[in-house]
Amino acid sequence: MDWSAVVLVVLLLLEPSPCASDDRLDLGKPLSPGTTIVSDDGGFALGFFTPTNSTSTPAKLYLGIWYNDIPTLTVVWVANRETPATNTTSSTPTLSLTNTSNLVLSDASGVVLWATNVTAVSGSSSPAAAAAMLLNTGNLVIRSPNGTAIWQSFDHPADSFLPGMKIRLAFATRAGVRLVSWKAPGDPSPGTFSYGIDAGTALQLFLWNGTRPLMRDGPWTGYSIASRYQANASVFVYQAIVSTDEEIYLTYTLSDGAARARFVVTVAGRYQLQSWKGGGSSAWSVLGDWPAWECSRYGHCGPYGYCDNTVAAPTCRCLDGFEPADAEEWSGGDFSRGCQRKEALRCAAGDGFLALPGMKSPDKFVRVANRTRDECAAECAGNCSCVAYAYANLSTTTTAGDVTRCLVWAGDLIDTEKMGDVVGSDTLYLRLAGLDAAVQGVRGKSNALRIALPTVLTTSILIITGIFVSWFKFRGKRRSNKEYNTKVSLVTTSSSDVLVEGSPAQDFELPFIKFEDIETATHNFSEAYKIGQGGFGKVYKAMLGGQEVAIKRLSKDSEQGTEEFRNEAILIAKLQHRNLVRLLGCSVEGGEKILVYEYLPNRSLDAILFDSSRKTSLDWPTRFNIIKGVARGLLYLHQDSRLTIVHRDLKAANVLLDADMRPKIADFGMARIFNDNQKNANTRRVVGTYGYMAPEYAMEGVFSVKSDVYSFGVLILELVTGTKRSSFNTIKGFPNLMIYAWNMWKDGKGKDLVDPSIMDTCSQDEVLLCSHMALLCAQENPNDRPFMSSVVLALENGSTTLPTPKNPGHYAQGSSDMEQIRDRIDNSMNSLTLTNIEGR
Ligand SMILES: *[C@@H]1O[C@H](CO)[C@@H](O)[C@H](O)[C@H]1NC(C)=O
Ligand SMILES: *[C@@H]1O[C@H](CO)[C@@H](O)[C@H](O)[C@H]1NC(C)=O
Ligand SMILES: *[C@@H]1O[C@H](CO)[C@@H](O)[C@H](O)[C@H]1NC(C)=O
Ligand SMILES: *[C@@H]1O[C@H](CO)[C@@H](O)[C@H](O)[C@H]1NC(C)=O
Ligand SMILES: *[C@@H]1O[C@H](CO)[C@@H](O)[C@H](O)[C@H]1NC(C)=O
Ligand SMILES: *[C@@H]1O[C@H](CO)[C@@H](O)[C@H](O)[C@H]1NC(C)=O
Ligand SMILES: *[C@@H]1O[C@H](CO)[C@@H](O)[C@H](O)[C@H]1NC(C)=O
Ligand SMILES: *[C@@H]1O[C@H](CO)[C@@H](O)[C@H](O)[C@H]1NC(C)=O
Ligand SMILES: *[C@@H]1O[C@H](CO)[C@@H](O)[C@H](O)[C@H]1NC(C)=O
Ligand SMILES: *[C@@H]1O[C@H](CO)[C@@H](O)[C@H](O)[C@H]1NC(C)=O
């Protein structure tokens, strides 16, 4: 018997984490110069450093966090920005964790240079068990014995904004955090430049130089698009602003496998998105640099001027009805005096409002609470001092609160910008003389409605829960990135995050392939090459153009007509995202309709997940990644493609897995394009799969993005439990998976839902988050279900507080072996009944 092995096992059992020694700081084990604490995955290090290029002697020592896997010292957080230690042998500083659960940095003589301000933990819990840990995100966290984070460096940022960090502003106190630049490249002490949410409005983001604004984001318009593609680095940046009852914050995450990236306020006063280019070019590259143009600097175009960034060379212009205040200065490139009215306002008689779509609204507005669109217009029309208004309905979630955003302007309009018809732009209604009543926006002259200025700021506090995007950071990229709209060709083998965003797709070409080439490749559609049979035809695997492809031959008798086929081909080809199966080409010869897709070696999720011998290859981290990947793909279909695409048949069989088990959504050929303002559609034909279909779709043929959200909820549950949504047998006595999960959840046994075969790899928090999300997605009322933007955000960040789910929607299935229905609803109606599950 080898006793050392037994001792080792015992030690491992006692030790909560096998790598506990180097990513944490424990009581009584201080950190001193020369040693570091490294995050579990080796990505970040905490320790003492002297800034590169620092010239002072003796050298100054700072406690900070930097990228451990990047050769160039890049510090993302500094504790003692203003109180450096010196690097002499006589005064070695140390960082220690105290018995009050605080981190204290002190020099050799005991002088405290920096300390956290955690108030002593009261109660029975033993502070001795607290520990400071450096997480893989680069966040230094002090955890209390029960695992609660009682302090974290992410709440005290320096100049860097890392993925997962939150730039907050509390509504009640108007206190928040800002990114603050270094003073100089070798000096981490706070510089004059900062970035954060404007405490006055709680609606805008600013870059400041001291107290002077350098750049401003337009007021939030309520759109919930949450991702942008940085073609330069093949990375998606999922950026969101979340507003809860207490606070509003900006956060972001990056797509899987993205290189290191950070937003940073530079010593020169720029706000940049930087990315580390691995491999050959070992350097930080700048993916975004703001303010993007001269004229997008704050107030650059003067009062009533605006920066037109819809043109190749953005420049200042005067708003409609205005002309340069000083034509000579203006034409000489000095826009500071701005523009003046061509015709003075006459107030009540003859003024009207001109609608200017696609604008970033000006600064210095007053927000009037609780107004409908009409009331907002009347608010402005009824007050002669009001020169403009803008309205938005912030409602992106179903949570109650003031979802209105009525902004009115009484003074000069400054820092306006024309963005064009991009999501996130406002329509600005500008008061002008001499507009007749036919002009949009003219309202009655109700004097009853007043703008109560002194109370507005306090009552207009945004109390909503929602997600929206800080848009301005990206909109400047739209034009410059056009050249990255990679044309798909059959020889494209890159698996990067290629994305062709909505409008630029017109210069996109879908390759048409000769039917005979396909015949040759599949040996005349030999059974030996067949890999599957989908609803619309057979699928073959073949080599084409030197590449493995999946060939989908639509059966000639399929209901899918030529038009539907064309829809599917064009849609799929335009929509490109790493979590969507790529269409590489198509063929439409002699009545044959053929689609050529990328081939995915691990085929479909259901083949692995529901196979008892293979399901263990999907451990929990893999499943969680599949859930997140499908969520991102769906978000893209719903929102980011700027077309609203409803999948209508999302299920495990339509999720394919690549070689790295990353998910790709397949078969969105049934999807339909909506107009922007058309939220729901009625269809005569239901195309979907029992058990995954939302009740309103199965029963009434009404589908919307929310019916996909329902299907996604079912899919999550299948991944968590490893169980099919409805088997021939009941699930633990319940008629289907949804009802089973709902009952387990209600009984507080959500964590027991997890597939027993992956118990050892699972994170309880993640399992609970996923089960909770699944039940929210599957709620009966479509309006209660979250949008995919909220889903992605919650899954990425984990910490968002989620509402309590209501009853799931479901319907009993007439015949359990009827998997696919492609009938008209009328034919199947009598076999369906809607069942409510009442809470006990
Ligand atoms: C402190 O100075 C010593 C030599 O004086 C040097 O070897 C060491 O790297 C310095 N430490 C830091 C953190 O700069
Ligand atoms: C905490 O440490 C201080 C000195 O470092 C000591 O005086 C105090 O008794 C300690 N408190 C506890 C509860 O251990
Ligand atoms: C701790 O609190 C004191 C007083 O409230 C404050 O001056 C100091 O800056 C705080 N330190 C940190 C690291 O927050
Ligand atoms: C964990 O401990 C902290 C104080 O250390 C306490 O505020 C919190 O409520 C505890 N949380 C749980 C879940 O016990
Ligand atoms: C340090 O100085 C060198 C030479 O002046 C310069 O090339 C380099 O960019 C500087 N590094 C930093 C981090 O400022
Ligand atoms: C920031 O403000 C200072 C002082 O007001 C000024 O000298 C400097 O040029 C400004 N920098 C930028 C980038 O605006
Ligand atoms: C993208 O890459 C090009 C060439 O490498 C570079 O010049 C540019 O600054 C990068 N950033 C953006 C935002 O285009
Ligand atoms: C908004 O109006 C509703 C109904 O008129 C009222 O119940 C609510 O309190 C108002 N909210 C605010 C913030 O004024
Ligand atoms: C905002 O939009 C939601 C959903 O589109 C709608 O239900 C609500 O009535 C709108 N609110 C206002 C004040 O227009
Ligand atoms: C009109 O608006 C101005 C500025 O917002 C305000 O000071 C004034 O009281 C308002 N007048 C009326 C009649 O509401």
Side-chain angles (χ1 to χ4, degrees):
M1 184 94 202
D2 182 352
W3 285 101
S4 64
V6 174
V7 172
L8 182 65
V9 167
V10 170
L11 284 176
L12 284 175
L13 288 174
L14 292 172
E15 197 59 72
S17 149
C19 17
S21 51
D22 55 349
D23 66 345
R24 56 192 274 166
L25 183 73
D26 289 303
L27 193 65
K29 292 183 199 152
L31 181 76
S32 34
T35 55
T36 54
I37 285 176
V38 175
S39 63
D40 188 44
D41 68 356
F44 288 92
L46 167 78
F48 292 89
F49 71 97
T50 297
T52 323
N53 291 2
S54 168
T55 50
S56 49
T57 44
K60 289 178 175 169
L61 273 184
Y62 294 88
L63 176 72
I65 296 172
W66 58 86
Y67 294 101
N68 189 46
D69 52 2
I70 285 176
T72 310
L73 176 67
T74 309
V75 177
V76 295
W77 182 74
V78 184
N80 53 329
R81 293 184 77 167
E82 290 171 278
T83 49
T86 47
N87 187 13
T88 59
T89 45
S90 60
S91 70
T92 315
T94 52
L95 174 73
S96 40
L97 187 66
T98 68
N99 58 13
T100 57
S101 303
N102 273 292
L103 284 172
V104 173
L105 174 68
S106 44
D107 67 15
S109 51
V111 174
V112 174
L113 299 170
W114 172 87
T116 58
N117 273 351
V118 179
T119 44
V121 180
S122 58
S124 57
S125 65
S126 148
M133 301 187 66
L134 183 60
L135 307 184
N136 291 342
T137 52
N139 190 7
L140 176 65
V141 177
I142 305 177
R143 281 199 198 289
S144 75
N146 66 14
T148 317
I150 51 183
W151 180 91
Q152 51 183 338
S153 63
F154 269 20
D155 288 340
H156 306 271
D159 64 342
S160 299
F161 181 25
L162 297 178
M165 206 150 150
K166 291 168 184 172
I167 303 208
R168 305 160 183 271
L169 184 84
F171 290 131
T173 59
R174 295 288 163 139
V177 298
R178 287 188 189 178
L179 305 175
V180 179
S181 68
W182 285 25
K183 193 167 263 172
D187 182 0
S189 62
T192 61
F193 304 104
S194 62
Y195 181 82
I197 297 171
D198 171 33
T201 65
L203 274 181
Q204 313 187 96
L205 284 153
F206 273 90
L207 177 67
W208 290 275
N209 180 4
T211 54
R212 280 217 337 261
L214 282 182
M215 179 186 72
R216 181 187 62 104
D217 180 11
W220 172 45
T221 61
Y223 286 95
S224 59
I225 300 272
S227 80
R228 291 279 72 197
Y229 184 58
Q230 292 290 347
N232 254 19
S234 296
V235 57
F236 279 89
V237 180
Y238 295 86
Q239 185 150 350
I241 295 182
V242 178
S243 179
T244 69
D245 286 352
E246 288 83 36
E247 63 172 3
I248 181 165
Y249 63 82
L250 169 71
T251 188
Y252 77 104
T253 55
L254 302 170
S255 42
D256 290 344
R260 293 286 185 197
R262 61 168 183 165
F263 286 95
V264 63
V265 179
T266 69
V267 293
R270 309 286 301 178
Y271 183 64
Q272 294 187 338
L273 175 59
Q274 303 179 344
S275 165
W276 181 261
K277 296 272 199 168
S281 61
S282 292
W284 286 97
S285 62
V286 176
L287 299 182
D289 187 22
W290 298 276
W293 307 283
E294 180 79 358
C295 80
S296 60
R297 284 183 23 231
Y298 186 86
H300 183 73
C301 297
Y304 301 103
Y306 69 92
C307 173
D308 184 357
N309 78 39
T310 62
V311 294
T315 184
C316 291
R317 298 187 194 286
C318 287
L319 289 168
D320 289 81
F322 288 78
E323 60 196 4
D326 184 322
E328 212 169 299
E329 279 181 7
W330 186 274
S331 56
D334 177 359
F335 308 106
S336 56
R337 294 188 54 200
C339 308
Q340 64 193 16
R341 283 186 193 278
K342 290 180 185 163
E343 194 180 338
L345 289 176
R346 280 167 292 190
C347 190
D351 289 353
F353 285 92
L354 180 67
L356 302 172
M359 305 299 281
K360 175 181 98 178
S361 287
D363 195 17
K364 310 284 186 197
F365 50 80
V366 166
R367 179 156 178 226
V368 189
N370 235 356
R371 293 287 186 274
T372 64
R373 183 177 292 277
D374 286 354
E375 287 166 355
C376 186
E379 188 87 44
C380 193
N383 186 329
C384 294
S385 335
C386 181
V387 293
Y389 73 92
Y391 188 81
N393 182 343
L394 304 181
S395 168
T396 55
T397 68
T398 57
T399 318
D402 186 2
V403 299
T404 71
R405 196 220 59 180
C406 171
L407 306 180
V408 295
W409 284 263
D412 287 346
L413 302 182
I414 54 159
D415 197 43
T416 315
E417 208 167 307
K418 185 172 179 183
M419 298 157 61
D421 184 23
V422 294
V423 184
S425 65
D426 251 336
T427 297
L428 182 68
Y429 294 90
L430 181 65
R431 186 184 211 116
L432 289 177
L435 285 180
D436 60 36
V439 174
Q440 191 182 355
V442 177
R443 301 290 162 194
K445 300 153 207 92
S446 159
N447 286 319
L449 290 160
R450 285 152 191 268
I451 304 171
L453 259 185
T455 58
V456 161
L457 281 181
T458 47
T459 57
S460 67
I461 294 172
L462 178 67
I463 305 176
I464 55 113
T465 301
I467 297 176
F468 57 99
V469 177
S470 167
W471 186 259
F472 78 97
K473 279 166 226 65
F474 301 106
R475 57 172 202 266
K477 300 267 86 66
R478 293 171 56 77
R479 189 178 37 252
S480 59
N481 279 352
K482 270 197 179 136
E483 60 264 36
Y484 296 107
N485 296 326
T486 316
K487 287 182 181 178
V488 172
S489 75
L490 205 54
V491 293
T492 305
T493 52
S494 151
S495 62
S496 69
D497 256 349
V498 178
L499 171 122
V500 180
E501 219 251 340
S503 53
Q506 65 248 7
D507 44 17
F508 169 82
E509 285 161 28
L510 179 68
F512 282 78
I513 300 157
K514 280 195 192 138
F515 180 65
E516 57 182 86
D517 289 346
I518 291 172
E519 266 186 318
T520 311
T522 56
H523 291 72
N524 203 13
F525 300 102
S526 147
E527 283 292 308
Y529 287 75
K530 196 176 116 182
I531 54 171
Q533 172 118 35
F536 287 123
K538 294 174 180 170
V539 183
Y540 301 83
K541 179 186 165 187
M543 292 294 288
L544 208 56
Q547 188 180 352
E548 277 187 327
V549 295
I551 292 174
K552 181 174 171 187
R553 183 193 201 188
L554 304 184
S555 46
K556 288 189 182 150
D557 58 2
S558 92
E559 284 180 38
Q560 197 172 33
T562 316
E563 195 184 336
E564 282 164 300
F565 172 75
R566 196 172 291 134
N567 269 353
E568 184 172 10
I570 291 169
L571 265 178
I572 297 170
K574 278 184 184 173
L575 298 170
Q576 293 197 37
H577 185 274
R578 64 150 60 199
N579 296 116
L580 298 183
V581 173
R582 295 174 70 190
L583 178 65
L584 302 175
C586 72
S587 178
V588 271
E589 279 173 35
E592 290 281 354
K593 291 174 236 157
I594 287 165
L595 293 169
V596 179
Y597 295 93
E598 65 177 318
Y599 174 74
L600 295 166
N602 279 313
R603 314 261 196 101
S604 69
L605 174 60
D606 63 336
I608 303 181
L609 184 60
F610 304 133
D611 181 329
S612 53
S613 61
R614 299 178 69 195
K615 70 194 310 186
T616 46
S617 65
L618 294 176
D619 61 6
W620 174 253
T622 308
R623 292 191 195 186
F624 192 42
N625 280 334
I626 291 172
I627 291 171
K628 290 191 284 189
V630 172
R632 287 169 167 181
L634 210 49
L635 170 65
Y636 174 80
L637 286 176
H638 288 178
Q639 295 185 333
D640 296 354
S641 63
R642 299 190 67 221
L643 312 159
T644 299
I645 309 290
V646 179
H647 188 294
R648 294 167 66 187
D649 196 14
L650 182 70
K651 55 180 171 180
N654 277 337
V655 173
L656 308 186
L657 298 173
D658 74 4
D660 298 323
M661 290 291 184
R662 280 186 306 222
K664 286 171 187 271
I665 301 173
D667 221 12
F668 37 100
M670 277 68 84
R672 281 198 171 194
I673 308 173
F674 286 123
N675 295 329
D676 262 344
N677 48 8
Q678 193 182 346
K679 282 255 167 65
N680 298 288
N682 249 296
T683 177
R684 295 273 307 171
R685 203 173 75 190
V686 171
V687 184
T689 304
Y690 267 123
Y692 285 103
M693 269 188 293
E696 74 277 5
Y697 180 36
M699 298 300 299
E700 296 150 39
V702 177
F703 71 87
S704 69
V705 291
K706 294 298 188 69
S707 33
D708 277 355
V709 171
Y710 181 95
S711 309
F712 179 65
V714 177
L715 183 65
I716 298 181
L717 283 182
E718 290 186 328
L719 277 154
V720 169
T721 60
T723 310
K724 265 191 157 155
R725 70 215 169 270
S726 56
S727 336
F728 297 101
N729 305 317
T730 54
I731 297 162
K732 310 234 162 106
F734 292 99
N736 65 37
L737 183 59
M738 188 57 67
I739 301 173
Y740 165 62
W742 169 244
N743 280 280
M744 292 289 280
W745 175 265
K746 273 194 310 175
D747 294 347
K749 292 189 275 190
K751 59 179 190 300
D752 298 340
L753 283 171
V754 70
D755 188 345
S757 65
I758 56 160
M759 202 79 94
D760 51 339
T761 60
C762 82
S763 144
Q764 265 189 19
D765 286 351
E766 287 170 2
V767 166
L768 277 176
L769 173 68
C770 288
S771 320
H772 193 159
M773 186 52 78
L775 291 169
L776 287 174
C777 290
Q779 292 176 102
E780 183 172 0
N781 183 345
N783 294 325
D784 290 339
R785 298 174 203 149
F787 283 98
M788 286 313 295
S789 48
S790 319
V791 175
V792 168
L793 191 79
L795 293 175
E796 302 288 345
N797 293 295
S799 60
T800 321
T801 42
L802 300 173
T804 306
K806 299 180 190 161
N807 287 353
H810 89 113
Y811 43 89
Q813 190 170 317
S815 126
S816 57
D817 56 351
M818 189 168 70
E819 273 285 283
Q820 297 266 337
I821 50 166
R822 300 190 180 282
D823 307 327
R824 288 175 187 275
I825 307 161
D826 322 16
N827 301 339
S828 54
M829 200 63 158
N830 50 10
S831 64
L832 297 170
T833 45
L834 188 71
T835 309
N836 264 319
I837 307 303
E838 295 299 336
R840 287 176 304 147

